[in-house]
Amino acid sequence: MVSGNLFHCRKHSWPPEEYVGRATLQLLDFDSAAPPEQAWRRRLNSHANILKEFSVTFMEAIKMVRLGIRLWSYVREEASHGRKAPIDPFTRISCKPSASQGVPLGGMGSGSISRGFRGEFRQWQIVPGTCEPSPVMANQFSIFISRDGGNKHYASVLAPGQHEGLGKAGDQGIDSWGWNLSGQHSTYHALFPRAWTIYDGEPDPELKISCRQISPFIPHNYRDSSLPTAVFVYTLVNTGKDRAKVSLLFTWANSIGGISHLSGDHVNEPFLGDDGVSGVLLHHKTARGNPPVTFAVAACETQNVNVTVLPCFGLSEGSCVTAKGMWGTMVQDGQFDRENFKSGPSMPSSPGEALCAAVSASAWVEPHGKCTVAFALAWSSPKVKFLKGSSYHRRYTKFYGTSEGAAQDLVHDALMNYKRWEEDIEKWQNPILRDDRLPEWYKFTLFNELYFLVAGGTVWIDSRLPAPDKRNHRNGEKTDVKGTEAEVNLSDGALVKHTTTSDYYSEDESVVNHEGSNSYSQHHPITLLNEENDSDDGGRFLYLEGVEYVMWCTYDVHFYASFALLELFPKIELNIQRDFAKAVLSEDGRKVKFLAEGNTGIRKLRGAVPHDLGTHDPWNEMNAYNIHDTSQWKDLNPKFVLQVYRDFAATGDMSFGVDVWPAVRAAMEYMEQFDRDGDCLIENDGFPDQTYDTWTVHGVSAYCGCLWLAALQAAAAMALQLGDKPFAEYCKGKFLKAKSVFEEKLWNGSYFNYDSGSSSNSKSIQTDQLAGQWYTASSGLPSLFDEAQIKSTLQKIFDFNVMKVKGGRMGAVNGMHPNGKVDETCMQSREIWTGVTYGVAATMILAGMEKEAFTTAEGIFTAGWSEEGYGYWFQTPEAWTMDGHFRSLIYMRPLSIWGMQWALSMPKTVLQAPEINIMDRISISPSAAAISHEFGVRKITNKAKCFGAAVFHCSC
């Protein structure tokens, strides 16, 4: 899709030579110690400005006052039950967000810890749905250097001393440490899932230091990518004339963030492991009945590296060994007593007492010599428990078991295998990084936006089986959750029944113990096409809409983000779609109060795609979102059909198609009720009934109408391929009629009007108006409109929504009046949505407008990630205003940048599809308009291999 002479526009090029001296880069040019050519970079002394949050205007506040009162009441009610409301704009966090984030640690779905670019460990998400943003300042790497002759000594924490976490209550002990690093000659280089910190002569002018942070985020590797561990590899280069003794220190508090270190009953114990891996286990007893957590901090002892530990020290003067005393020992001796390994478990800590541990690795570095020292961190919390009782074992327990000793095994295996991880990561990333046709800012931002799949509150479990006879008796609630049994007739007459309920395997107080071996097996990365005899289904996966909007797998947003999962972890993506397919065919009759209007309805209707999979009991209690009744939303069902078809076309997975087809039909049939006038086109109902949930829509709308057209075409194509020809004819007939109506009501000669109403913004230019066309082109289906219409619309969006907003340096504003003024109808019409901007850029690429596409997306980089921007790196928000104020940090939708990469490198099954227009293969019979609800999937068994090879070309 990309032409060879593509980009003549300005590039954001950040060569490492501008941040690190050439001589230092040459010295570190071995064993991956030098930072990569393409990376996001910062100096450690860069100012981490406080981020500014958006505010509503006076008129917007007046419109939302009733909603605000109801929401406030609901937040208080949930708090009375010990629960956090999924949307809570009233409770402010104690730590103000700042421009300090960096690459997070660990794989996916086992809890996450982020690390700021200056070295602090922050943004703790060990307990599902909770986030402790403040850094734990006792968690640090430090260095102690002495040279032969004893004339030169250096001792410093390897982080600048000006931190918002220093000087706070409980941290008195670490004030005595050597916070001597200025950061002027130290730089941070991020290329997710790795990061490099280069200390170019700090604190010792004659010692060059590289710290390489590595996490096991490896596409198509469904084992290692689930591991809660990270490795820190220090490379030391002595440029002086004297031999240097260098001791690196890794300190860690027994804490999961916030004030959890003060809760008491925590225990530390040292360990001597295999292959020279030694360290300390920190057993953390969580509060409020949450499952316990065990941390392991370790280093690898080699012939030249000596590892010692201090299992316990405290942060107050009353501690047996204080932080000040620990630091003094390291300054004097550069190591701890080897006898500490024999000390055994500590006494449990008392409430109010902080318990920390330290691991030291020391080595002699010869003049002009080099040395490598490797540390690892792991955290093991095998059971994930949701507030309403359901518990599951995290996916990594399939390979490591559920004992507390798993943390020790995790750090051991991380230190033994990180080089293989790096090889796999480089094999994945290098083709993109070496593509000279792509702007440099795009290359590293593409990978860095994946931070959300670790830091976005992900949960990854192994079991996908429904509970055999599960009933919800919690708190005396009556659960009215109905399953649906769908029948699919195969060509041999056999009847396959798909029974769907909304309950998934879990236990309230116990979970199945998946005991696993700690040895590694050989892994072969899968392709998008499923491998035969692959028994691992990939497990069940949850990720939050955002850390401020605490709902799992919010579907209208997953529509944008799902390209990342489809390209990198397709099994996960297919299983998310299977989860929603089951949800479509189920019903939950419990009453819910909707806060926008104050009306009451039922939680989940059969045929309606849920907004989300829940908050406090995901999979079992869906639709945590209760602002509007989303069973009346017009975008969710079409988005389900479009995602399912895209995934089906890309993977060629016929079993997936059979699994979800009953739900696809049900979702399409459910939408019939929204065709109020029988013209085959759905209408919106005069309230914000789509993902823009403050932006009212009247009548036919560009956004939902285009999605509906695309869904009709996708459903017709899928029906044909699965042998359901009557339904294919039915959808094609509706599509042809609906398209004519859509163009007649909305096309104005240069773009599609916002809606067919008569409001002041009905003629607004909506950035997202071609969302349906985006998916159509991404799935290999024929374009919805003429090429001239598509390009005209995208050019209008580019000229107005992009370039009229600070010269294109902010992204695309959601709404723009045709007179060039921003649509200020509501909060969301005047916002710039990061994920929508990436989405429209992907649509531009698919339409052959590559230059406009990358200029559009570059606005998000400039405003969010560049040095002159607002500081949203590794916390990309849902939106920002024209003055750069954010709404909802660490948000799912910006993963849609992978929609751009999908457009640039679609799989052959999708890319070759337009050679035959599949819609032309559907002939409409006279009876199609009166199609029966009986349906069958014919010849699937015989056609499976054919469709898998080339789904649009076979003539079986």
Side-chain angles (χ1 to χ4, degrees):
M1 299 296 294
V2 184
S3 56
N5 56 353
L6 217 177
F7 303 111
H8 304 290
C9 58
R10 175 177 55 88
K11 292 185 178 182
H12 271 97
S13 179
W14 294 0
E17 294 85 357
E18 293 184 7
Y19 291 78
V20 183
R22 286 184 179 273
T24 300
L25 289 172
Q26 291 173 356
L27 289 169
L28 294 173
D29 189 20
F30 75 101
D31 194 29
S32 301
E37 286 294 318
Q38 288 92 17
W40 179 89
R41 312 185 200 276
R42 277 296 176 278
R43 299 191 185 279
L44 263 60
N45 65 345
S46 298
H47 175 62
N49 57 287
I50 299 298
L51 305 179
K52 296 181 180 180
E53 192 169 7
F54 86 108
S55 59
V56 297
T57 65
F58 176 76
M59 289 305 298
E60 290 167 353
I62 292 297
K63 292 177 182 178
M64 293 191 290
V65 65
R66 291 185 177 88
L67 168 61
I69 293 171
R70 296 186 191 106
L71 182 56
W72 179 76
S73 177
Y74 172 68
V75 168
R76 291 192 62 186
E77 179 186 355
E78 286 293 285
S80 71
H81 295 292
R83 300 190 295 261
K84 178 178 172 60
I87 300 175
D88 178 7
F90 307 106
T91 304
R92 296 298 176 188
I93 59 175
S94 57
C95 175
K96 292 184 178 180
S98 62
S100 56
Q101 299 286 15
V103 174
L105 307 175
M108 300 187 297
S110 297
S112 70
I113 306 165
S114 290
R115 193 171 184 223
F117 73 86
R118 296 183 302 186
E120 69 276 20
F121 294 85
R122 60 192 310 139
Q123 212 75 29
W124 300 73
Q125 297 187 78
I126 305 297
V127 177
T130 65
C131 180
E132 292 286 355
S134 299
V136 175
M137 295 306 296
N139 298 350
Q140 297 290 346
F141 284 99
S142 303
I143 194 166
F144 304 83
I145 306 164
S146 61
R147 292 184 177 270
D148 279 353
N151 295 325
K152 297 178 182 179
H153 296 275
Y154 302 92
S156 180
V157 178
L158 287 173
Q162 293 75 37
H163 279 280
E164 65 267 29
L166 282 177
K168 292 186 177 180
D171 284 341
Q172 303 95 325
I174 68 172
D175 288 343
S176 61
W177 295 357
W179 299 89
N180 304 318
L181 198 81
S182 72
Q184 182 180 356
H185 302 291
S186 301
T187 52
Y188 181 82
H189 311 257
L191 186 65
F192 178 90
R194 297 189 292 173
W196 291 254
T197 305
I198 308 299
Y199 305 89
D200 194 358
E202 286 191 280
D204 182 348
E206 295 180 329
L207 188 70
K208 309 298 184 184
I209 308 167
S210 166
C211 174
R212 190 164 82 258
Q213 173 187 310
I214 308 150
S215 292
F217 182 97
I218 305 165
H220 307 289
N221 185 331
Y222 294 82
R223 182 191 192 280
D224 293 358
S225 296
S226 72
L227 304 184
T229 185
V231 177
F232 306 89
V233 181
Y234 280 84
T235 301
L236 311 171
V237 180
N238 183 3
T239 61
K241 298 179 180 179
D242 299 317
R243 190 171 66 146
K245 182 181 180 182
V246 181
S247 296
L248 288 159
L249 179 71
F250 189 14
T251 52
W252 197 259
N254 197 323
S255 168
I256 58 171
I259 60 172
S260 61
H261 58 293
L262 303 177
S263 59
D265 286 333
H266 310 316
V267 174
N268 291 359
E269 64 171 317
F271 69 88
L272 273 169
D274 297 334
D275 301 309
V277 176
S278 305
V280 181
L281 297 175
L282 300 89
H283 306 290
H284 185 87
K285 184 179 180 181
T286 57
R288 301 176 184 172
N290 286 308
V293 183
T294 297
F295 292 96
V297 288
C300 191
E301 191 163 88
T302 65
Q303 186 175 0
N304 189 41
V305 177
N306 180 48
V307 177
T308 58
V309 300
L310 181 64
C312 298
F313 71 88
L315 300 179
S316 61
E317 292 300 325
S319 305
C320 181
V321 179
T322 65
K324 183 177 182 179
M326 182 277 299
W327 189 267
T329 299
M330 288 299 299
V331 170
Q332 180 176 328
D333 303 327
Q335 62 186 29
F336 301 114
D337 193 333
R338 292 286 299 185
E339 293 297 310
N340 289 344
F341 281 114
K342 302 177 181 178
S343 62
S346 68
M347 293 294 292
S349 63
S350 302
E353 175 190 7
L355 195 62
C356 304
V359 176
S360 168
S362 56
W364 285 97
V365 187
E366 298 298 325
H368 307 291
K370 301 174 181 179
C371 181
T372 298
V373 179
F375 292 88
L377 167 71
W379 53 99
S380 177
S381 183
K383 187 166 74 170
V384 54
K385 182 178 181 181
F386 295 99
L387 278 179
K388 290 193 175 180
S390 295
S391 297
Y392 308 86
H393 275 143
R394 296 186 191 269
R395 178 170 172 82
Y396 78 90
T397 63
K398 177 177 182 178
F399 317 108
Y400 284 85
T402 59
S403 71
E404 293 181 347
Q408 181 177 336
D409 295 330
L410 282 161
V411 287
H412 171 272
D413 289 359
L415 288 166
M416 295 298 104
N417 291 283
Y418 73 83
K419 290 184 179 180
R420 175 172 59 81
W421 293 347
E422 289 194 283
E423 290 174 0
D424 292 343
I425 291 167
E426 290 172 4
K427 183 178 179 181
W428 157 47
Q429 293 183 337
N430 281 343
I432 295 172
L433 296 175
R434 294 172 180 171
D435 190 341
D436 293 333
R437 300 170 300 172
L438 301 175
E440 288 192 28
W441 68 264
Y442 170 78
K443 296 176 186 179
F444 58 79
T445 306
L446 177 72
F447 293 114
N448 285 337
E449 287 285 16
L450 289 171
Y451 84 93
F452 187 83
L453 289 177
V454 172
T458 54
V459 172
W460 195 359
I461 66 170
D462 185 48
S463 175
R464 71 181 182 93
L465 298 176
D469 188 19
K470 183 173 173 62
R471 297 290 183 271
N472 189 341
H473 300 294
R474 304 183 193 101
N475 303 322
E477 293 180 0
K478 179 182 178 182
T479 305
D480 182 17
V481 182
K482 299 177 181 178
T484 298
E485 186 171 85
E487 298 179 354
V488 179
N489 292 295
L490 300 183
S491 58
D492 60 1
L495 186 68
V496 179
K497 294 184 178 181
H498 296 261
T499 302
T500 303
T501 72
S502 65
D503 290 319
Y504 288 76
Y505 180 78
S506 68
E507 297 180 7
D508 291 342
E509 298 301 331
S510 61
V511 262
V512 172
N513 187 4
H514 300 284
E515 294 296 342
S517 163
N518 293 327
S519 62
Y520 277 75
S521 60
Q522 185 68 31
H523 294 282
H524 301 282
I526 66 168
T527 63
L528 280 172
L529 295 177
N530 279 6
E531 292 181 343
E532 294 184 6
N533 304 318
D534 188 353
S535 59
D536 186 356
D537 73 339
R540 323 265 21 102
F541 190 83
L542 299 170
Y543 65 145
L544 292 175
E545 179 178 339
V547 297
E548 297 177 38
Y549 297 161
V550 188
M551 294 164 283
W552 300 108
C553 294
T554 300
Y555 200 73
D556 55 306
V557 185
H558 181 68
F559 174 79
Y560 298 83
S562 58
F563 284 92
L565 287 173
L566 177 60
E567 183 143 340
L568 306 178
F569 296 95
K571 288 185 180 180
I572 289 177
E573 165 61 13
L574 294 188
N575 282 340
I576 289 175
Q577 301 302 348
R578 285 187 173 100
D579 285 344
F580 277 90
K582 292 171 184 175
V584 167
L585 299 176
S586 65
E587 185 164 302
D588 186 340
R590 284 173 287 186
K591 297 292 184 182
V592 175
K593 182 177 181 180
F594 301 112
L595 304 180
E597 300 297 332
N599 57 314
T600 300
I602 72 169
R603 180 175 290 277
K604 168 69 178 69
L605 285 172
R606 185 195 181 279
V609 174
H611 172 273
D612 54 79
L613 291 178
T615 291
H616 300 307
D617 196 8
W619 295 301
N620 300 318
E621 185 180 272
M622 293 169 285
N623 277 338
Y625 177 91
N626 60 350
I627 304 297
H628 299 288
D629 180 359
T630 58
S631 68
Q632 300 300 303
W633 277 19
K634 311 307 184 294
D635 63 336
L636 287 169
N637 282 38
K639 285 176 175 176
F640 170 71
V641 176
L642 289 171
Q643 289 182 71
V644 162
Y645 183 75
R646 177 205 58 189
D647 297 352
F648 174 66
T651 62
D653 189 331
M654 293 301 295
S655 65
F656 169 73
V658 173
D659 286 346
V660 301
W661 179 244
V664 170
R665 282 210 43 160
M668 293 299 291
E669 291 162 2
Y670 182 87
M671 294 298 292
E672 299 282 350
Q673 63 183 300
F674 303 125
D675 178 10
R676 311 294 186 189
D677 52 9
D679 61 2
C680 298
L681 188 61
I682 61 170
E683 286 86 34
N684 293 83
D685 286 327
F687 75 101
D689 48 359
Q690 25 78 44
T691 193
Y692 299 89
D693 58 355
T694 68
W695 201 356
T696 298
V697 197
H698 299 275
V700 175
S701 73
Y703 182 66
C704 295
C706 187
L707 289 171
W708 173 241
L709 291 179
L712 284 169
Q713 185 169 244
M718 190 170 183
L720 181 67
Q721 293 163 55
L722 291 176
D724 192 353
K725 186 176 180 181
F727 195 70
E729 294 177 3
Y730 177 68
C731 289
K732 179 178 180 180
K734 291 183 74 71
F735 168 78
L736 295 174
K737 294 179 182 177
K739 177 185 175 182
S740 174
V741 175
F742 182 85
E743 292 179 323
E744 178 184 346
K745 291 190 174 183
L746 297 181
W747 180 249
N748 62 23
S750 60
Y751 66 95
F752 295 96
N753 291 335
Y754 176 70
D755 64 28
S756 62
S758 57
S759 61
S760 60
N761 71 321
S762 288
K763 288 183 169 48
S764 284
I765 308 161
Q766 184 181 12
T767 291
D768 220 1
Q769 61 185 280
L770 289 182
Q773 171 60 27
W774 173 28
Y775 259 72
T776 292
S778 296
S779 305
L781 291 169
S783 293
L784 297 177
F785 313 107
D786 293 339
E787 181 181 353
Q789 287 178 297
I790 294 169
K791 287 194 171 184
S792 173
T793 300
L794 292 172
Q795 191 65 51
K796 192 75 171 184
I797 292 167
F798 179 75
D799 291 341
F800 280 69
N801 301 53
V802 177
M803 297 309 295
K804 289 186 181 296
V805 180
K806 296 191 177 179
R809 298 176 62 81
M810 293 283 287
V813 69
N814 282 337
M816 180 73 78
H817 289 296
N819 63 3
K821 294 184 178 179
V822 172
D823 184 345
E824 297 186 349
T825 303
C826 67
M827 174 184 75
Q828 291 175 343
S829 64
R830 62 182 174 88
E831 287 180 328
I832 294 156
W833 283 15
T834 53
V836 167
T837 299
Y838 287 144
V840 75
T843 312
M844 291 173 177
I845 292 172
L846 292 162
M849 300 171 62
E850 295 96 342
K851 182 178 179 181
E852 291 84 352
F854 282 92
T855 301
T856 296
E858 188 177 7
I860 299 301
F861 171 81
T862 302
W865 289 80
S866 72
E867 288 189 278
E868 62 264 32
Y870 298 105
Y872 296 129
W873 44 83
F874 299 103
Q875 52 189 333
T876 315
E878 156 76 315
W880 51 64
T881 57
M882 302 288 286
D883 53 6
H885 294 189
F886 74 89
R887 180 169 64 82
S888 188
L889 293 172
I890 310 181
Y891 196 79
M892 181 197 294
R893 205 182 315 252
L895 283 171
S896 60
I897 191 173
W898 280 85
M900 296 178 65
Q901 189 60 26
W902 183 266
L904 293 166
S905 57
M906 287 192 292
K908 289 183 179 179
T909 52
V910 174
L911 197 60
Q912 296 173 356
E915 293 177 12
I916 296 178
N917 188 331
I918 196 164
M919 294 296 280
D920 291 343
R921 293 169 55 186
I922 305 173
S923 58
I924 304 175
S925 64
S927 60
I931 186 171
S932 165
H933 289 287
E934 300 279 334
F935 64 94
V937 180
R938 300 195 296 269
K939 299 183 181 179
I940 287 179
T941 305
N942 294 331
K943 288 194 175 185
K945 292 184 180 179
C946 175
F947 280 131
V951 77
F952 292 103
H953 301 286
C954 63
S955 55
C956 306

